[in-house]
Amino acid sequence: MSDAAETFPADAGARLLAGDPSLWTDDPAVQAEIADRLGWVHLPHGLEDGLAQARELAETARADGITHVVLCGMGGSSLAAEVFAEVLGPTEGSPRLTALDTTDPRRIRALDAELHLARTLFIVASKSGSTVETDALRRHYTARLATGGEEPSVHLVAITDPGSDLGAAARAEGWRAVFENPADIGGRFSALSLFGLVPAALLGHDPAVLLQLRHTAEEIDGELVSRATALAESARRGLAIQMLDFPHRPLQAWAEQLVAESTGKASPDGPVGVLPVPEPSPSEAPPDLSAAPPGVGLLTLAALMWDLEALTALTCAPLGINPFDQPDVESAKVATRAVLEDDERRGAPDSAGALDAALGAIAPGGYVALLSYLTPDADVDAGLEALRTELAERTGAPVTIGQGPRYLHSTGQLHKGGPPVGTFVVLEGPDATGEGVDLPVPGRPYTFGRLFQAQAEGDVRALRARALTVVRLRLDDPAVDLARLGERVSGS
């Protein structure tokens, strides 16, 4: 990497807006990789045709009585859509949207029970089209539509990169719409691309208002460069902590992926990373952006998201790292495939005593990651938050919560590629492969339950292969067992 790793470039704003990859490196090969990932800088400019197509899709969906949109995707293909759905919500007469980014058969069954297929549109969102979770969900809902008496193509929409297998299959099968996003936009920087703005349009928000957005070098070289400098300096001294004081939880999840996956990797001076940690109590009550005048809420969110994308990319420049790659994510995928191919079952859980030992060994500068493969509900979510608080009070370390398998496409990069100071507590629920729980994946030799549990097993193996501290606990009654675990941690 370049000597940018030693001093922050004075003209960072102009170089970022010009798409100059030398901001991050002098290596021609890495410059070529980075140059192919800078399409986000001027978004949504250049997407005018796609935005018009999105508005047309939204209009016809409302006219056809669509009341629910289910977006099947992982990581950057789904998180921005979830922000727009949960923070802005649908306008009057527009369908609600659910972002589905899981292989947990219990969660899929719960959503399926809500769906009126004739009034549901399914978006399959994937850059490559080969993401295992998204592929499984596409197969599931294509089969459900067919067996439910609906023509699948009428209810299916694809968002993908040009030339992907997903795009080719969608066209061959006559799907309702196929959106091709520019290939030079990485997933976690795609919030203001078609991956985020097609869902926003379906929710009734006109993405064309974002064409008002303009960014100047002077704005970037002011507060953003100052904040990036401070984060980079902190990361040079060890794992940096970035408190996410966002009042909306979906924004926190989106920011976690953006920051952790961009910064948590090897630098010329060793592993670095910025760990996003949500504030336990945000300083402000959530503003009701859904009640804002037309376009204002979307503009407000878009400006915030672009600033954080720019801040994250800039932070990587003085560290001498490529913000647009994720070199360590693949290891968990490889381990998951090995588990599935060998038809192996879940590994044995550790004892609660192993957790006590691990917590007692956390060194200064370390952190705890709760990696939950529990099916979310109000009681489980509250139990996880309570456990996070108890762990933070006992250890004095920052504590994060990752929902599996979502976090594999998010903080998982930092877990494996960043400073090796994490203690990972993997929480698994009851068996997901039993009768009445599991679901088949049409055309695949595994079920959703097998895939879900193999992903947990694969990540445990990938973490332990790096000699990281992993404690694996089995919670057969998740809400009750979380409460007991919190009592043990607190000593009460």
Side-chain angles (χ1 to χ4, degrees):
M1 288 286 176
S2 71
D3 54 9
E6 299 174 7
T7 58
F8 202 97
D11 58 348
R15 292 168 67 181
L16 175 63
L17 292 176
D20 179 2
S22 70
L23 179 61
W24 292 274
T25 180
D26 290 332
D27 184 322
V30 182
Q31 283 188 3
E33 293 176 10
I34 291 175
D36 194 38
R37 285 292 179 267
L38 291 173
W40 61 273
V41 172
H42 296 288
L43 288 175
H45 299 279
L47 296 179
E48 287 81 358
D49 290 346
L51 299 185
Q53 184 188 1
R55 288 195 300 273
E56 181 182 357
L57 173 66
E59 291 168 1
T60 60
R62 285 194 294 271
D64 290 347
I66 295 296
T67 59
H68 198 165
V69 176
V70 176
L71 186 144
C72 305
M74 299 300 296
S77 298
S78 64
L79 291 173
E82 184 176 69
V83 171
F84 298 139
E86 297 196 22
V87 177
L88 297 179
T91 62
E92 185 176 355
S94 297
R96 65 189 178 102
L97 185 146
T98 301
L100 187 62
D101 60 351
T102 189
T103 53
D104 179 354
R106 291 184 174 90
R107 282 186 65 191
I108 298 168
R109 281 183 177 274
L111 177 60
D112 286 359
E114 300 177 14
L115 298 180
H116 180 4
L117 289 177
R119 295 181 177 272
T120 303
L121 197 66
F122 296 91
I123 300 176
V124 181
S126 171
K127 276 181 65 65
S128 67
S130 60
T131 308
V132 64
E133 300 95 336
T134 309
D135 173 74
L137 292 169
R138 174 183 68 82
R139 291 168 178 272
H140 171 71
Y141 285 114
T142 299
R144 277 213 69 207
L145 287 163
T147 58
E150 298 293 325
E151 170 52 52
S153 62
V154 175
H155 296 268
L156 292 170
V157 172
I159 309 174
T160 189
D161 277 7
S164 75
D165 289 344
L166 172 60
R171 286 194 173 87
E173 295 168 13
W175 287 19
R176 183 170 188 140
V178 179
F179 293 86
E180 287 192 339
N181 204 55
D184 61 352
I185 303 169
R188 59 186 173 274
F189 286 81
S190 66
L192 305 185
S193 77
L194 297 177
F195 281 101
L197 298 186
V198 171
L202 284 163
L203 287 163
H205 304 282
D206 184 0
V209 301
L210 302 187
L211 295 171
Q212 301 174 39
L213 290 174
R214 290 287 191 277
H215 309 286
T216 68
E218 290 75 20
E219 292 171 343
I220 296 168
D221 287 330
E223 181 184 357
L224 286 178
V225 163
S226 176
R227 291 166 62 193
T229 301
L231 275 174
E233 285 299 322
S234 180
R236 282 201 188 102
R237 297 191 296 269
L239 186 72
I241 305 299
Q242 183 179 24
M243 301 305 294
L244 299 179
D245 191 15
F246 295 146
H248 297 286
R249 179 173 289 187
L251 264 175
Q252 294 178 355
W254 173 81
E256 282 174 353
Q257 191 218 12
L258 173 67
V259 175
E261 198 167 42
S262 298
T263 65
K265 58 196 66 169
S267 80
D269 300 318
V272 296
V274 177
L275 179 69
V277 179
E279 288 277 9
S281 301
S283 59
E284 301 177 5
D288 186 7
L289 294 180
S290 65
V296 173
L298 184 58
L299 269 171
T300 301
L301 277 178
L304 184 155
M305 296 166 93
W306 191 92
D307 281 355
L308 190 55
E309 288 174 345
L311 172 64
T312 302
L314 289 168
T315 298
C316 295
L319 294 172
I321 58 176
N322 178 356
F324 309 111
D325 68 357
Q326 47 281 333
D328 301 288
V329 167
E330 185 65 22
S331 61
K333 298 179 183 179
V334 171
T336 296
R337 288 194 292 269
V339 174
L340 290 172
E341 289 168 2
D342 295 341
D343 197 31
E344 296 181 36
R345 300 296 165 180
R346 294 196 287 181
D350 297 311
S351 67
L355 177 62
D356 294 333
L359 297 180
I362 296 174
Y367 67 96
V368 179
L370 287 172
L371 306 180
S372 174
Y373 287 83
L374 307 174
T375 302
D377 61 30
D379 291 336
V380 168
D381 292 348
L384 286 169
E385 288 294 341
L387 181 57
R388 183 217 297 263
T389 300
E390 299 290 355
L391 285 167
E393 290 179 354
R394 172 168 169 174
T395 65
V399 182
T400 64
I401 299 174
Q403 181 66 48
R406 166 187 281 196
Y407 77 83
L408 297 174
H409 298 259
S410 177
T411 52
Q413 167 61 41
L414 182 140
H415 295 163
K416 302 171 191 70
V421 294
T423 295
F424 303 96
V425 182
V426 179
L427 303 173
E428 295 180 279
D431 183 26
T433 64
E435 185 177 352
V437 173
D438 206 355
L439 289 166
V441 178
R444 296 298 189 207
Y446 48 78
T447 63
F448 275 102
R450 283 283 296 119
L451 176 57
F452 182 58
Q453 293 179 178
Q455 288 179 297
E457 174 69 24
D459 198 44
V460 167
R461 294 185 185 185
L463 292 166
R464 286 178 172 164
R466 286 165 169 74
L468 296 167
T469 301
V470 181
V471 179
R472 180 183 205 164
L473 301 176
R474 189 76 40 78
L475 309 185
D476 291 323
D477 189 342
V480 172
D481 291 344
L482 280 170
R484 291 173 177 162
L485 195 56
E487 292 171 358
R488 183 183 183 96
V489 168
S490 66
S492 61

